[in-house]
Amino acid sequence: MNEMTRQPATLQAVADAAGVHRSTASRALNPDKAHLIGPDVVERVQAAARRIGYQRDELAAGLRTKRSRLIGIVVPDLANLVFAPIVSAIETVLAANGYSALIANAGGGVARQIQIIDQLIAHRVEGVILATAQRDDPVVTRCAEAGVPAVLVNRAEEKARVSTVISNDICGMRLAVEHLVALGHRRIGHIGGPSHLSTGALRLEGFGKAMAEAGLDADAVVTAEAYTRDAGRAAAIELLDRHDLTAVATANDLLALGLYQELRARGLRCPDDISVVGHNDMPMIDMVDPPLTTVHIHQADMGRQAAELLLARIGKPETDTVTRVIDSELVVRGSTAPPRG
Amino acid sequence: MNEMTRQPATLQAVADAAGVHRSTASRALNPDKAHLIGPDVVERVQAAARRIGYQRDELAAGLRTKRSRLIGIVVPDLANLVFAPIVSAIETVLAANGYSALIANAGGGVARQIQIIDQLIAHRVEGVILATAQRDDPVVTRCAEAGVPAVLVNRAEEKARVSTVISNDICGMRLAVEHLVALGHRRIGHIGGPSHLSTGALRLEGFGKAMAEAGLDADAVVTAEAYTRDAGRAAAIELLDRHDLTAVATANDLLALGLYQELRARGLRCPDDISVVGHNDMPMIDMVDPPLTTVHIHQADMGRQAAELLLARIGKPETDTVTRVIDSELVVRGSTAPPRG
DNA sequence: TGACGTCGTGCAATCGATTGCACATACTTT
DNA sequence: AAAGTATGTGCAATCGATTGCACGACGTCA
């Protein structure tokens, strides 16, 4: 019950307390090497370690072993609800495997992102998970240069240079359109996400394909500047000014909320006047008014798989890069109904 | 343009490239010590560093300097929307000061939390920010033992051992009650948070005081097991079964949502039959049906201040512990109205 | 009894950067 | 011109843990 509060106990202190050399103590404390040491000594060292409250210094150990047990996670914005479940799931998997998560907001532009990734590299992260990927992402390039394994989640690059876990964006948007068509809608518009993001591009593609299959025109399309309510509303204004629609499929729930606001401002009612379908099924979106019909993506599952992919890669660097596409599902709530008349 | 991808450049390599000793290179690259070195040499070293793509190894540097430039953040659940803005703000401040955030989910019990904090300590975090504090928290004790500066955010301990940033829980709840009283409500109930959390205890206290000041009985009180929708609904069932109320003030928005569900199940309408006030004003809560009247707490501000407090403490360890109480504000939306009849 | 394994432990180098100290050079000062 | 003072660099120890190698002790077998 010593007062070990001032100077954290070092391995040398344990060794002294147990009357052995510090290398012996090191081995005794390492499950993988403990068999090299006599059982009685192992016991003695472990007892000493417990007694003086020894805690291994990951920093020092990492210097020698080149293993920081740190994984970097980069998200566009932690406060964005879409990413919370993904990050949470990633962290859980990492923790279960003895890794800690170094999480960074990458709000700003690409320059800032590079800066962030360099910061992570400086901490010798063993790998990174990026939720920020653009269709051609300089950050991925930077990771490759630095030899840091990277995995993409939620957003993909145009050509898959690294392992990636995304939802089936094309298929998801198809579900949305098919649902609207089945309800009897013909004049269907689309509020798309930024085109430099895979989600924006692929969901737009899915929209086009599904509309064509239904024999409908897909010309009522406006692209939002960002995945925000405000950008959604701005896009909605443009879309509604230019087209006479009975339904809109949006690339993202926040965009749908922006559309909600504009509908309300125009005195239009959802779903009576216009049906709306979102995308992502972010937390709480089931509580909005009206409850949003949306495409549910398995965020926790994506996060988990991304983490597992990265850990596998770290364990076996020559592993092939794979792209996992997670199917999404339509969740019908109150924002869609047959068109009037 | 060398292929530096395999072995990351070391300081020694920079020194060699610049034709100086590595200690000189170290100083030339450190803004605080660069003045010790000749301007021309500094220039030469920096050029060399740039040329071979040198990146300082925080791990190795930290070993010597005892500065990891890492801050631990512990939250109950990253996927919980209440914490997202707080964590996001913390991370932003840390990044601006050259620190990185090591974030951990502390879902499980106290044992798991201790394990997590030990993991953080093993990474030699220079400080931790805890959003998990119980009224008497063993994790805080553990930090004190290990000599790691800690700051509490959102939830406080009963006796302030470390600096803390919380919202004015008592006052916030008073605002809620006063609002309901002003509308004409007399029979007002309360769904409280877990009593081992400061938010639960203080908001309950605020409820009692405000009711007393209004000359009303504060006996319609039920405590929820946790801050979740399900626990809120369970508490709502008990509360509604036992009391005939016209309004309920809840300790948390999620609890209010649970109450919403139960009201709907019973065919009661909000605010026509029962008014509801939430607490926290979490993201998106303005979009629920009906839009929730709630007490807005300045989450980003709290996160920012917590981070600043911690950084100040790290810079100057003898700093006094302070408790910052951030005033909250009532946001009136659609879930409150005068009682009928 | 001597050669040879095996097993357990200690020694010392190593990871990469930082820093107190010593030393050499140049520049004042009297 | 000698002594004294900046000024700029190099040397080597240091942070804490890991690990290849060597060495001593013990046991076995011939």
Side-chain angles (χ1 to χ4, degrees):
Chain A
M1 294 307 152
N2 321 22
E3 280 301 327
M4 301 310 302
T5 65
R6 290 304 81 191
Q7 293 303 327
T10 128
L11 182 59
Q12 182 68 62
V14 175
D16 292 348
V20 297
H21 193 265
R22 68 178 185 284
S23 65
T24 304
S26 171
R27 289 188 262 252
L29 259 20
N30 180 339
D32 294 345
K33 312 257 167 133
H35 68 270
L36 296 171
I37 305 296
D40 50 334
V41 177
V42 170
E43 180 55 40
R44 189 148 41 93
V45 171
Q46 289 180 341
R50 223 170 301 122
R51 179 151 36 85
I52 67 179
Y54 170 71
Q55 174 122 47
R56 182 166 178 272
D57 185 331
E58 291 281 354
L59 234 72
L63 178 59
R64 176 67 218 249
T65 60
K66 306 277 191 188
R67 306 206 52 194
S68 62
R69 302 214 152 267
L70 254 28
I71 300 289
I73 303 179
V74 185
V75 295
D77 180 11
L78 261 178
N80 183 330
L81 309 192
V82 181
F83 297 102
I86 295 179
V87 172
S88 186
I90 292 173
E91 197 277 336
T92 300
V93 172
L94 294 184
N97 287 274
Y99 282 85
S100 295
L102 219 40
I103 304 182
N105 268 325
V110 166
R112 173 79 187 120
Q113 290 186 14
I114 294 283
Q115 201 180 331
I116 285 171
I117 207 75
D118 282 345
Q119 174 94 225
L120 292 177
I121 293 172
H123 280 289
R124 291 294 180 259
V125 293
E126 294 181 36
V128 296
I129 298 181
L130 307 172
T132 48
Q134 300 185 11
R135 290 170 68 204
D136 178 23
D137 202 317
V139 174
V140 175
T141 308
R142 187 77 189 78
C143 288
E145 285 172 4
V148 175
V151 167
L152 271 31
V153 68
N154 195 41
R155 298 176 183 173
E157 279 203 298
E158 190 144 26
K159 53 195 288 288
R161 292 185 286 174
V162 299
S163 289
T164 304
V165 180
I166 54 172
S167 67
N168 196 334
D169 293 306
I170 292 180
C171 197
M173 187 52 69
R174 186 190 311 253
L175 291 176
V177 172
E178 284 173 356
H179 168 62
L180 293 171
V181 169
L183 285 172
H185 291 278
R186 304 272 136 220
R187 302 196 306 280
I188 305 172
H190 176 61
I191 296 181
S195 58
H196 61 281
L197 302 180
S198 67
T199 49
L202 293 175
R203 290 172 192 177
L204 172 60
E205 184 180 337
F207 177 77
K209 284 189 178 166
M211 290 293 279
E213 282 165 19
L216 301 173
D217 277 349
D219 57 350
V221 169
V222 173
T223 296
E225 297 280 322
Y227 282 129
T228 64
R229 261 152 86 161
D230 286 347
R233 181 162 185 186
I237 291 173
E238 197 179 330
L239 187 68
L240 297 174
D241 278 350
R242 293 225 279 249
H243 302 273
D244 180 30
L245 305 170
T246 64
V248 177
T250 63
N252 170 289
D253 292 337
L254 290 173
L255 297 179
L257 292 183
L259 172 58
Y260 269 21
Q261 291 180 280
E262 183 56 21
L263 289 178
R264 223 167 271 153
R266 295 183 180 218
L268 293 171
R269 302 190 46 195
C270 172
D272 305 333
D273 300 311
I274 290 198
S275 288
V276 175
V277 181
H279 209 118
N280 282 4
D281 194 21
M282 59 195 271
M284 310 248 324
I285 201 73
D286 58 316
M287 299 297 295
V288 303
D289 175 32
L292 185 67
T293 294
T294 188
V295 177
H296 177 82
I297 66 176
H298 298 267
Q299 305 163 336
D301 203 34
M302 288 166 58
R304 186 156 40 73
Q305 292 205 34
E308 285 167 358
L309 241 34
L310 181 59
L311 293 179
R313 184 59 178 277
I314 290 171
K316 225 157 141 286
E318 67 283 3
T319 311
D320 293 338
T321 75
V322 310
T323 296
R324 296 257 179 89
V325 179
I326 313 290
D327 276 332
S328 39
E329 298 148 16
L330 184 73
V331 180
V332 178
R333 298 204 180 96
S335 66
T336 48
R340 281 190 308 188
Chain B
M1 296 306 151
N2 322 23
E3 281 301 328
M4 302 309 303
T5 64
R6 289 306 79 192
Q7 292 305 325
T10 123
L11 181 58
Q12 182 67 62
V14 176
D16 292 348
V20 298
H21 192 265
R22 69 177 185 284
S23 66
T24 303
S26 171
R27 290 189 259 253
L29 260 20
N30 179 340
D32 293 344
K33 312 255 166 136
H35 66 93
L36 295 172
I37 305 295
D40 50 334
V41 177
V42 170
E43 181 55 41
R44 189 148 41 92
V45 171
Q46 290 181 342
R50 223 171 302 121
R51 178 152 34 86
I52 68 178
Y54 169 72
Q55 174 121 49
R56 181 166 178 274
D57 184 331
E58 291 281 355
L59 235 70
L63 179 59
R64 177 67 218 246
T65 59
K66 306 277 192 189
R67 308 206 50 197
S68 62
R69 300 213 155 269
L70 254 27
I71 301 288
I73 303 178
V74 185
V75 295
D77 180 11
L78 261 179
N80 183 331
L81 309 191
V82 181
F83 297 102
I86 296 178
V87 172
S88 185
I90 292 174
E91 197 279 335
T92 301
V93 173
L94 295 184
N97 287 275
Y99 282 86
S100 295
L102 219 39
I103 303 181
N105 269 324
V110 166
R112 173 79 187 120
Q113 289 187 14
I114 294 284
Q115 200 181 331
I116 286 170
I117 208 75
D118 282 345
Q119 174 93 227
L120 292 177
I121 293 173
H123 280 290
R124 290 294 179 262
V125 292
E126 294 182 37
V128 297
I129 297 181
L130 307 173
T132 49
Q134 302 186 8
R135 290 171 66 204
D136 178 23
D137 202 316
V139 174
V140 175
T141 307
R142 186 78 190 78
C143 288
E145 286 172 3
V148 175
V151 167
L152 270 30
V153 67
N154 194 41
R155 297 177 183 172
E157 279 203 300
E158 189 144 25
K159 53 195 289 286
R161 293 186 285 176
V162 299
S163 289
T164 303
V165 180
I166 55 173
S167 67
N168 196 334
D169 292 305
I170 292 180
C171 196
M173 187 51 68
R174 186 190 311 256
L175 292 175
V177 172
E178 284 172 357
H179 168 62
L180 292 172
V181 169
L183 285 172
H185 292 276
R186 304 273 138 217
R187 301 196 307 280
I188 305 172
H190 176 60
I191 296 182
S195 58
H196 63 281
L197 302 180
S198 68
T199 48
L202 293 175
R203 288 171 192 177
L204 172 59
E205 184 181 336
F207 177 76
K209 284 188 179 169
M211 289 295 278
E213 282 164 20
L216 301 173
D217 277 349
D219 57 350
V221 169
V222 173
T223 297
E225 298 278 321
Y227 282 128
T228 64
R229 261 151 87 162
D230 287 346
R233 181 162 185 186
I237 291 173
E238 198 179 328
L239 186 69
L240 298 175
D241 279 351
R242 294 226 278 249
H243 302 273
D244 181 28
L245 306 168
T246 64
V248 178
T250 63
N252 170 288
D253 292 338
L254 291 173
L255 298 179
L257 292 183
L259 172 58
Y260 269 22
Q261 290 180 280
E262 182 58 20
L263 289 178
R264 222 166 272 152
R266 294 183 181 219
L268 293 171
R269 303 191 46 196
C270 171
D272 305 333
D273 299 312
I274 290 198
S275 287
V276 176
V277 182
H279 210 118
N280 281 6
D281 195 20
M282 56 194 274
M284 310 246 324
I285 200 74
D286 58 315
M287 300 296 295
V288 304
D289 176 31
L292 185 67
T293 294
T294 189
V295 178
H296 178 82
I297 65 176
H298 298 268
Q299 305 163 334
D301 204 33
M302 289 167 57
R304 185 157 42 71
Q305 293 205 34
E308 284 166 358
L309 242 33
L310 181 59
L311 292 179
R313 184 60 179 278
I314 290 171
K316 225 158 140 284
E318 67 284 1
T319 312
D320 293 338
T321 74
V322 308
T323 297
R324 296 256 180 89
V325 179
I326 313 290
D327 276 332
S328 39
E329 298 150 16
L330 184 72
V331 180
V332 178
R333 298 205 180 94
S335 66
T336 48
R340 280 189 308 188

